Amino acid sequence: DIQMTQSPSSVSASVGDRVTITCRASQGISSWLAWYQQKPGKAPKLLIYAASSLQSGVPSRFSGSGSGTDFTLTISSLQPEDFATYYCQQANSFPPLTFGGGTKVEIK
Amino acid sequence: EVQLVESGGGLVQPGRSLRLSCAASGFTFDDYAMHWVRQAPGKGLEWVSGISWNSGSIGYADSVKGRFTISRDNAKNSLYLQMNSLRAEDTALYYCAKALRERSLSEYFQHWGQGTLVTVSS
């Protein structure tokens, strides 16, 4: 199975900051990677798929990059509504489909 | 508008069974793979099982293989998860999720339901 490792597990940031979250796959997954945002008490929301494709309706301050084993989610200018937990997910190998452990973005 | 509505969760004793359902609307159900994803209280996301548009391909996480069975009824626009031999570690919020692209099983999750809570405890 492909393991997905996110770092950091949490980050404290201020509104307007640039935030970067990384995700590493235990083996190459090409560009088969998605990023999700989850707020407390809510279902996850798809932000990025295919490593860098922005899902419809998602603000352009979110961007994704990477291929192979190393991937990055960047929030260019953190907004109040962006405080949430973010997960990566690989879709290269089924079954299983696997998620990273999550990164909580907190208010500094 | 895509809607996924899960039901069937509840409190169940270890070793017993439960059947979850997911009612889908707002899209052509039989064009898309469907999945179950769970989240234990205060924990991260865990993919549980997925089924292709025509039920021809099915997969399970190792943690539920042999105990859980996924199925779908395209005539009823419904997805199911039969959970047998439940354990305390199966306690979680279970989400139904729709694949992003048509006819693709190894996929991203574009739409999610609100989840149904399963609690396994004596």
Side-chain angles (χ1 to χ4, degrees), chain A residues 91-106:
Chain A
N92 179 75
S93 171
F94 174 95
L97 301 174
T98 46
F99 291 90
T103 296
K104 187 173 184 180
V105 177
E106 300 175 297

Side-chain angles (χ1 to χ4, degrees), chain A:
Chain A
D1 296 356
I2 298 175
Q3 311 302 320
M4 306 300 294
T5 303
Q6 281 183 242
S7 61
S9 57
S10 66
V11 57
S12 294
S14 301
V15 172
D17 284 354
R18 182 182 184 90
V19 173
T20 299
I21 299 168
T22 63
C23 181
R24 175 164 288 175
S26 61
Q27 58 188 268
I29 58 170
S30 185
S31 295
W32 289 95
L33 186 100
W35 290 98
Y36 300 86
Q37 176 194 67
Q38 187 180 33
K39 297 181 180 179
K42 300 293 187 181
K45 173 186 175 183
L46 178 64
L47 299 177
I48 302 281
Y49 63 94
S52 61
S53 295
L54 194 67
Q55 173 65 5
S56 176
V58 174
S60 58
R61 63 181 179 272
F62 291 93
S63 64
S65 65
S67 67
T69 60
D70 294 313
F71 301 87
T72 299
L73 173 70
T74 299
I75 310 172
S76 61
S77 178
L78 198 65
Q79 298 302 300
E81 60 268 31
D82 300 337
F83 292 96
T85 300
Y86 294 84
Y87 295 93
C88 62
Q89 174 237 329
Q90 68 82 17
N92 179 75
S93 171
F94 174 95
L97 301 174
T98 46
F99 291 90
T103 296
K104 187 173 184 180
V105 177
E106 300 175 297
I107 301 173
K108 195 174 205 176

